[in-house]
Amino acid sequence: MTNKLKYFIGNWKMFGDFRSLKIIYQIHRFCTKFKRRDIKNKIILCVPFTLIYFFTKKLKSKLISIGAQNCHHRNIFGPFTGSVNASMLKKAGAKYVILGHSENRLEGETNRLIKKKIASALEQKLNIIFCIGETLKEKSKNKTFSVLRNQIRGSIEKKYNLNKIIIAYEPVWSIGTGKIPKVYELKKTFEFIKNEFKRSFKTKKFPVVLYGGSVNDINISVFSSISDIDGFLIGGASQSSKKFIDIIKNYYK
Ligand code: PEP
């Protein structure tokens, strides 16, 4: 069921300015040295809108891709103060966009709106990092699987280019809290998400599914044993090159 390629994706959230280029350079230097025949990694850094163009111009390397953290649902120029659409992201150099993050769901993003955003980003041939996850209340009521099913079915359609959609399972109660699910819970949930995706969209291939929520250089070893996890969406710890690099190194220890 596993995909051999492992993803390490940083979600910088509202962090970084032009000086943060040095973090990218440090991670890049690590990537040029960290070459093992048995390992294939994909490194993506999703940064604030203001840094996408600057980083892609300065970096000029295929070892790290730059992504965004959200987009508007319409690819037009129009009266949407403060918004940036997928076409603008594409032109700025982004290859990926995070959609459905719980921090944005908390601000009122619904499955329906996220679905429109996914469609507009796919229209621009961006790759999607689609976040799903249950709250603590939902978990305590044993609703995790039904929540995940609703999020998947509510925002994705069979006709979409499913190869461009990466799922990030991020339990809301785990984001920024230092808490992570138990190994047996993760195994069950990853198996559920992969099978649910195949079942819902009648595909032959299992989707790429990442884990996100309080991943750090210490707890990363817990995840190494779960072969269904195709990689990680890393928030706070991706804002430090040392922590981000140590996560990758320790994953393979
Ligand atoms: C996130 O916001 O996507 C995330 C995983 O955050 P953190 O790693 O800080 O919990």
Side-chain angles (χ1 to χ4, degrees), residues 11 13 101 103 170 174-176 212-215 233-236:
N11 172 14
K13 311 191 189 216
H101 194 282
E103 284 158 9
E170 300 206 307
S174 175
I175 295 178
S214 292
V215 171
L233 182 55
I234 303 155

Side-chain angles (χ1 to χ4, degrees), residues 9-23:
I9 306 183
N11 172 14
W12 274 19
K13 311 191 189 216
M14 196 164 69
F15 164 84
D17 57 25
F18 293 131
R19 291 169 302 178
S20 313
L21 182 63
K22 72 168 187 288
I23 299 176

Side-chain angles (χ1 to χ4, degrees), residues 78-97:
F80 305 106
T81 305
S83 299
V84 175
N85 67 30
S87 153
M88 294 154 94
L89 295 180
K90 177 89 177 179
K91 284 181 190 133
K95 298 269 187 296
Y96 291 79
V97 60

